[in-house]
Amino acid sequence: MRLELKPYDLKLKHTFTISRVSIDVQPTLIVALTVCGVTGYGDATANPYYNITVENMHKTLLNLKEKIELSKATQPEEFWNEMLPHLKDDLFSLCALDMAFTDLCSRQQGQKLYQYWNYDISNNPLTNYTIGIASIEKMVQKMQELPWPIYKIKLGTKEDIAIITELRKHSNAIFRVDANCGWDVQETIDNSYILKDLGVEFIEQPLKADNWTGHMEVFNHAALPIIADESCIIETDITRCHGYFHGVNIKLMKCGGLTPAKRMLENAKRLGLKTMVGCMTESNVGISAIAHLLPLLDYVDMDGALLLKEDIADGITLDYGKVHYSSTIGTGVALL
């Protein structure tokens, strides 16, 4: 097996702002694993909230190059377990590696990844499109640029209710809101009743990740379902979120890849939690991988590549929220 690492700086169409940061460029690392001319692809992005840089991921994976290339694993779970002890403190790198190996395995079998997993794609959910924080005028403009059936609106400002009230005047789409830890308990409860009347479907991560007392109070008193994001990172968090949230949003990079994400989703379903997978602002390499998990999901946020000025890969395409898979096997990715 041959390992290749390809760093990119992905330029965004617009400045993307959430409650804690704004970006115009998304540094990204693409991982390629090749065996006998067949290549699988994975990616991971830099993330200041988790102190992740492309430079550090590149260095970490180069230091593991010999172990990776000499691996005798034949199944994604086997490979993930083999790599975990070396990457337990860098789950973003582990995600890129796991994604590439999983893609490689399905390509070696001549199957699309959802076929490799024996998933039925006939009832896939639609993806939302994210509107980052900006002036209300700019947020309306972003919606008008791309008519979409579901919008996820980033909040966490002093004008949150005014934002949703104005956006609702311009669209009958389903709204979801994501406060990215930007609210307090009473603010969340109060906002939930107003937002429900404005046609909002759910609220994602309103409180700081570790405010479990607050999560319980919101869970018991809010008028809308509450979905965990920053409070749900790794596999053990699924059980912890049960009884504090109505659902969980799993990010592949945060949990360490497709392999643990599948287990998390299955466990969440067993516990009666709503299931969601979200994305970073990322290339079609990662977005195409997410698409093959759709049969396990109630909701999905896989619009990251739509936020880019130009992509670095072909793969799935999105048409008014609906996923169309590539004719190519594996995740369907091909680097441009």
Side-chain angles (χ1 to χ4, degrees):
M1 184 157 59
R2 184 176 80 253
L3 170 71
E4 292 181 88
L5 303 173
K6 305 170 186 287
Y8 293 91
D9 284 328
L10 306 178
K11 294 180 181 178
L12 278 59
K13 290 177 184 174
H14 303 286
T15 299
F16 187 72
T17 300
I18 62 174
S19 63
R20 56 177 177 260
V21 70
S22 295
I23 61 170
D24 293 293
V25 175
Q26 179 60 70
T28 296
L29 183 66
I30 302 298
V31 171
L33 295 175
T34 303
V35 175
C36 299
V38 179
T39 302
Y41 298 99
D43 79 350
T45 65
N47 190 302
Y49 183 78
Y50 296 99
N51 297 314
I52 302 295
T53 67
V54 166
E55 292 76 16
N56 285 343
M57 288 191 290
H58 194 280
K59 181 179 178 181
T60 296
L61 291 172
L62 275 185
N63 287 339
L64 271 179
K65 183 177 172 69
E66 184 176 3
K67 286 185 172 63
I68 293 166
E69 294 187 335
L70 292 176
S71 174
K72 302 300 182 185
T74 59
Q75 301 294 325
E77 295 83 359
E78 183 186 0
F79 183 71
W80 192 86
N81 288 333
E82 185 181 338
M83 294 297 126
L84 177 62
H86 307 289
L87 294 170
K88 63 182 186 300
D89 297 320
D90 186 357
L91 296 181
F92 279 59
S93 292
L94 181 57
C95 169
L97 205 54
D98 172 75
M99 191 183 295
F101 191 81
T102 304
D103 184 24
L104 174 64
C105 287
S106 57
R107 290 179 192 245
Q108 287 175 319
Q109 295 299 313
Q111 295 177 308
K112 296 182 182 183
L113 183 53
Y114 68 79
Q115 295 169 328
Y116 179 76
W117 286 334
N118 197 29
Y119 287 171
D120 177 4
I121 62 168
S122 60
N123 292 305
N124 283 352
L126 300 180
T127 182
N128 58 232
Y129 178 72
T130 302
I131 306 295
I133 295 170
S135 68
I136 295 179
E137 181 182 27
K138 185 68 173 177
M139 294 173 82
V140 170
Q141 181 186 332
K142 288 180 181 178
M143 284 203 323
Q144 292 173 338
E145 280 180 7
L146 190 65
W148 211 253
I150 311 169
Y151 291 107
K152 184 163 85 166
I153 317 297
K154 292 288 189 177
L155 298 179
T157 77
K158 298 301 182 184
E159 304 296 326
D160 288 342
I161 298 302
I163 288 171
I164 299 300
T165 299
E166 183 60 29
L167 295 188
R168 178 49 75 203
K169 295 176 184 177
H170 298 270
S171 175
N172 292 321
I174 294 169
F175 283 179
R176 299 165 177 170
V177 303
D178 183 1
N180 281 114
C181 310
W183 294 347
D184 62 30
V185 170
Q186 195 57 51
E187 185 178 18
T188 302
I189 294 169
D190 292 344
N191 284 351
S192 73
Y193 285 87
I194 302 169
L195 294 172
K196 182 178 181 181
D197 288 340
L198 288 167
V200 170
E201 185 177 27
F202 63 69
I203 300 170
E204 187 177 331
Q205 196 68 46
L207 310 181
K208 292 189 184 304
D210 59 355
N211 186 0
W212 292 97
T213 301
H215 296 323
M216 175 64 79
E217 191 170 347
V218 167
F219 179 82
N220 287 328
H221 296 102
L224 287 171
I226 309 296
I227 308 297
D229 182 358
E230 285 86 350
S231 295
C232 186
I233 307 298
I234 58 174
E235 293 186 61
T236 53
D237 291 333
I238 296 293
T239 302
R240 189 171 190 187
C241 285
H242 182 238
Y244 291 85
F245 293 91
H246 302 90
V248 290
N249 181 7
I250 294 164
K251 303 284 182 62
L252 302 187
M253 293 180 208
K254 295 180 186 180
C255 73
L258 290 162
T259 297
K262 284 178 61 191
R263 294 193 293 254
M264 292 171 77
L265 292 166
E266 289 160 1
N267 190 24
K269 283 184 171 296
R270 281 193 293 270
L271 292 171
L273 290 163
K274 292 291 187 181
T275 54
M276 178 175 180
V277 165
C279 65
M280 310 298 190
T281 304
E282 59 187 282
S283 77
N284 212 352
V285 174
I287 299 302
S288 293
I290 291 171
H292 294 264
L293 290 170
L294 288 177
L296 297 182
L297 307 183
D298 296 299
Y299 316 118
V300 65
D301 174 17
M302 50 179 292
D303 65 341
L306 294 178
L307 306 178
L308 303 179
K309 189 172 290 186
E310 58 182 35
D311 209 332
I312 57 169
D314 281 332
I316 63 97
T317 56
L318 296 173
D319 177 20
Y320 200 63
K322 184 177 180 179
V323 168
H324 296 281
Y325 293 92
S326 166
S327 59
T328 305
I329 55 176
T331 60
V333 165
L335 294 185
L336 298 173

